[in-house]
Amino acid sequence: MATEIELKRGLQGVYIDKTQSSFIDGTEGKLLYRGYSIHDLAEMATFEETVYLLLYSKLPNQAELDAFDAELRANRAIPAEVLEIIRLTKDAHPMDVLRTAVSATASFDPDTADNSPEATLRKGIRLTAQAPTIVTAHARIVQGKEPVAPNPNLKQAANFLYMLFDKEPTAAEARLMEKDFVLHAEHGINASAFAARVAASTISDLHSAVVSGIGTLKGPAHGGAAEEVMKMALDIGEEDRAEEYTRGILESGGRVMGFGHRVYKVEDPRARHLKAECEALGMERGQPKWFSILSKVAEVMEPYRARGICPNVDFWAGAMYHLLEIPKDIFICIFAMGRIPGWTVQVMEQHSNNILLRPLLLYEGPMDLEYTPLDQRS
Ligand code: ACO
């Protein structure tokens, strides 16, 4: 019987449902959000426009965008109790604090138990707006500083940098951050979206699904790679050490972080945007060496392209954040902040045509053993 079963380990190549949210062609390196090219969105759309597109399935007109932007700005505050929890858990990794704080906000959200599309949308907007407040409050508390209140005059990305540094970013810095959020907003049924959908499929609520998503995103095989890439660049230190260092990883059977992807077998289409920004920012800040080091790593990895192992979205992101002077351990929280709209859409899709996500495991342990009472066991 067991020999007839075909295992789909890692659910590789398995379609589990239909979606209208994003389209990925891993062999062509193509990514669309609701039909629109990621390249156009990265170059021309604001984060607010992109989130609106994902949540409402259409690009907003000016009045719709203004109203939506105002709604996001109005929802940035976090309950005082959640701030207190952040203070109490401040020694944990920022992703753990974000996961805990998102979970805690469920206790104060009036819609927590309401799974209607309208309520899930409201919660998705609130969580999208609150996440940067949580992440920056924690970052500042860790530095022994007081959290900075959200600035209602700034858009989402600019406000994130403002709350982190207590200083308004330049227009270029804000745009860079915004582009990064746009690139991270949604991405098919990756591991964290799958985790969010599994939670939603039990008819659990959005907060629970987002907590599942954050917990799943945390690992270095998924969202944790940007931090690992920057650690690698810092470890390499100088461009002329990059080749030997990279070969050392490969020869010892290790993985070069920021390379490879379960779906993309050509270059991740998001990577080029961050590569360009990383290079430009490095020049502007008089620190071109991080780009040079990573370029050298990429050069050594070039033969792996033939095996479908190419730079992914995280390869250039870490150096860009580092140049913006963002602490390394919150790189992954940036990914999570950008992705909340994507998780929200997927939870709404799951709820709208729900089926319990419940695959099977092929048992291969012993069978029908005789139970020995405790007092007779040797
Ligand atoms: N460096 C070197 N070799 C690699 C790399 C890498 N980064 N990635 C995959 N490979 C090799 C594996 O060693 C394996 O080789 P083998 O067939 O000789 O054993 C082969 O490519 C296939 O690897 P799998 O792990 O089976 O591929 P999978 O699709 O399951 O993994 C993953 C994808 C986890 C992203 C992998 O490429 C990886 O670990 N990359 C590094 C971490 C990273 O950058 N993660 C971010 C992913 S993007 C994102 O989530 C935003």
Side-chain angles (χ1 to χ4, degrees):
M1 175 69 185
T3 52
E4 292 161 22
I5 294 170
E6 189 193 353
L7 276 184
K8 298 277 189 183
R9 287 198 73 229
L11 296 178
Q12 206 156 357
V14 176
Y15 286 85
I16 63 145
D17 217 321
K18 296 177 182 176
T19 183
Q20 297 190 354
S21 187
S22 60
F23 168 81
I24 304 168
D25 183 334
T27 51
E28 293 290 325
K30 187 169 181 173
L31 170 62
L32 309 175
Y33 292 170
R34 301 240 182 240
Y36 292 95
S37 160
I38 192 62
H39 302 306
D40 289 343
L41 295 169
E43 292 305 331
M44 293 184 277
T46 63
F47 180 62
E48 287 76 4
E49 252 181 299
T50 306
V51 178
Y52 187 101
L53 170 68
L54 287 169
L55 297 182
Y56 296 99
S57 317
K58 73 180 208 49
L59 284 171
N61 62 30
Q62 190 64 56
E64 289 164 337
L65 180 59
D66 290 346
F68 181 66
D69 189 6
E71 192 178 353
L72 274 173
R73 292 180 201 222
N75 277 291
R76 287 176 181 158
I78 55 173
E81 293 88 340
V82 173
L83 186 58
E84 192 50 34
I85 289 169
I86 294 171
R87 289 189 197 279
L88 291 169
T89 57
K90 72 176 171 57
D91 293 333
H93 187 281
M95 257 317 242
D96 295 335
V97 175
L98 177 62
R99 192 192 56 224
T100 302
V102 166
S103 186
T105 59
S107 312
F108 305 96
D109 194 300
D111 289 319
T112 296
D114 186 347
N115 281 341
S116 67
E118 297 77 16
T120 302
L121 204 59
R122 287 195 295 273
K123 289 183 281 188
I125 292 169
R126 276 199 284 276
L127 281 177
T128 302
Q130 288 168 326
T133 314
I134 293 170
V135 172
T136 56
H138 175 238
R140 299 214 26 109
I141 290 166
V142 166
Q143 294 166 13
K145 298 173 184 160
E146 271 308 293
V148 174
N151 183 338
N153 299 319
L154 298 176
K155 291 201 300 173
Q156 182 92 352
N159 179 56
F160 163 64
L161 292 173
Y162 166 75
M163 292 191 294
L164 188 59
F165 297 118
D166 194 15
K167 182 170 165 263
E168 273 197 40
T170 64
E173 289 165 347
R175 179 60 197 140
L176 207 69
M177 203 65 247
E178 172 158 76
K179 187 182 279 194
D180 186 273
F181 282 157
V182 168
L183 291 169
H184 282 103
E186 164 65 333
H187 205 239
I189 193 73
N190 49 57
S192 57
F194 182 63
R197 276 193 183 249
V198 171
S201 82
T202 68
I203 325 204
S204 189
D205 55 85
L206 183 73
H207 283 82
S208 302
V210 170
V211 167
S212 305
I214 293 171
T216 309
L217 180 65
K218 190 185 166 195
H222 193 0
E227 182 178 342
E228 297 303 320
V229 173
M230 195 57 219
K231 281 186 192 157
M232 173 176 75
L234 288 163
D235 216 17
I236 294 173
E238 296 300 333
E239 188 189 341
D240 58 11
R241 290 193 59 231
E243 180 167 354
E244 193 191 340
Y245 186 99
T246 312
R247 292 203 192 287
I249 296 176
L250 296 169
E251 278 157 21
S252 65
R255 288 174 182 222
V256 177
M257 289 292 125
F259 271 80
H261 197 278
R262 173 59 69 79
V263 180
Y264 293 120
K265 297 307 166 199
V266 293
E267 188 159 310
D268 181 332
R270 301 165 296 179
R272 75 168 83 150
H273 297 280
L274 298 180
K275 179 181 181 184
E277 297 297 352
C278 179
E279 182 173 24
L281 191 63
M283 295 299 283
E284 189 210 300
R285 302 262 155 134
Q287 295 182 55
K289 86 169 179 180
W290 307 116
F291 182 79
S292 305
I293 288 172
L294 293 183
S295 297
K296 196 71 202 173
V297 172
E299 201 181 300
V300 177
M301 290 299 289
E302 202 47 42
Y304 282 70
R305 201 175 273 272
R307 291 176 53 194
I309 302 170
C310 306
N312 60 51
V313 68
D314 278 342
F315 187 64
W316 303 101
M320 196 185 84
Y321 303 148
H322 180 76
L323 287 163
L324 286 171
E325 297 176 31
I326 296 174
K328 267 197 305 303
D329 58 359
I330 67 169
F331 290 2
I332 185 168
C333 297
I334 298 176
F335 191 154
M337 286 186 273
R339 184 54 59 82
I340 289 173
W343 291 329
T344 304
V345 171
Q346 299 227 16
V347 166
M348 291 174 71
E349 281 192 344
Q350 187 67 37
H351 279 165
S352 72
N353 184 23
N354 194 43
I355 178 167
L356 180 71
L357 285 168
R358 205 304 186 188
L360 294 169
L361 281 173
L362 181 61
Y363 176 73
E364 54 178 21
M367 302 282 280
D368 304 325
L369 298 179
E370 195 176 326
Y371 179 82
T372 315
L374 183 56
D375 61 1
Q376 292 171 30
R377 279 176 231 155
S378 53

